[in-house]
Amino acid sequence: MFSEPEFWVAVAFVLFVALVGRPGARFITTALDDRATAIRQEIEAASRLRAEAEATLADYKKKHAEALQEAAAILAHAKSEARRLQAEAGEQAELRLKRREAQAHEKIAQAEAQALKEVRDLAVDLAVAATRRVLAEKIVGASADQLVDKAIAELPSKLHS
């Protein structure tokens, strides 16, 4: 048994695997742990960004609802004012009512447009920041700069379409 070359080859192989395998296993384990930590941090950052975006969206929805309530109050006030003026002035009061309703609708449209613009702008800013962060971490070199610049330049036109 000890004089057979296969035995000594097997012993040498086992020793080689034991000596080389342990540092290799440590290296692989460390690399996997580092990768898991990096992924966990990215997920946490994305969760924070999403929570911020949701909070901002809720805030803008609240502002939109308040603007609608204010517009409804303005519209109700305009209608009651119009009835009083109609009783007093007839045709002149009807012209005033139309003017005030138009102003109320315009204010509603402006408030909606402003809220939508702010939400879009925030979404674009968040998307650009998140994209920039992810790309900066994942892609390096001159080609990365070109890709990032191109993607950032195209983003507003794609989001506002």
Side-chain angles (χ1 to χ4, degrees):
M1 173 170 143
F2 291 117
S3 64
E4 295 181 22
E6 290 85 8
F7 172 75
W8 291 111
V9 168
V11 168
F13 178 73
V14 169
L15 287 173
F16 176 76
V17 168
L19 292 174
V20 173
R22 182 171 290 162
R26 285 186 194 138
F27 174 74
I28 291 171
T29 304
T30 303
L32 289 175
D33 288 343
D34 291 346
R35 175 88 171 134
T37 301
I39 291 171
R40 188 176 307 111
Q41 289 172 349
E42 287 180 17
I43 289 172
E44 289 171 359
S47 295
R48 283 192 303 273
L49 287 173
R50 181 173 186 208
E52 289 174 12
E54 287 174 351
T56 303
L57 179 61
D59 185 44
Y60 285 117
K61 283 183 179 181
K62 180 182 173 186
K63 287 180 181 179
H64 182 259
E66 290 172 357
L68 288 176
Q69 288 176 348
E70 181 181 340
I74 290 170
L75 189 59
H77 177 70
K79 285 182 180 181
S80 67
E81 182 71 15
R83 284 189 211 106
R84 184 183 65 80
L85 292 174
Q86 188 176 13
E88 293 175 4
E91 193 173 303
Q92 185 180 16
E94 188 173 325
L95 293 174
R96 288 182 186 164
L97 171 64
K98 289 180 183 179
R99 206 172 337 146
R100 287 189 183 193
E101 284 180 351
Q103 288 174 349
H105 288 292
E106 185 177 317
K107 188 170 184 177
I108 290 170
Q110 288 175 351
E112 287 177 347
Q114 179 65 28
L116 287 174
K117 181 186 179 302
E118 290 175 3
V119 169
R120 277 191 190 125
D121 290 345
L122 181 62
V124 167
D125 291 343
L126 288 174
V128 167
T131 301
R132 187 174 286 146
R133 181 188 294 156
V134 169
L135 288 176
E137 292 175 3
K138 300 292 180 189
I139 300 176
V140 295
S143 63
D145 293 338
Q146 291 173 351
L147 286 174
V148 170
D149 291 343
K150 182 179 177 186
I152 290 172
E154 292 175 355
L155 189 62
S157 65
K158 288 183 180 180
L159 288 177
H160 293 296
S161 297

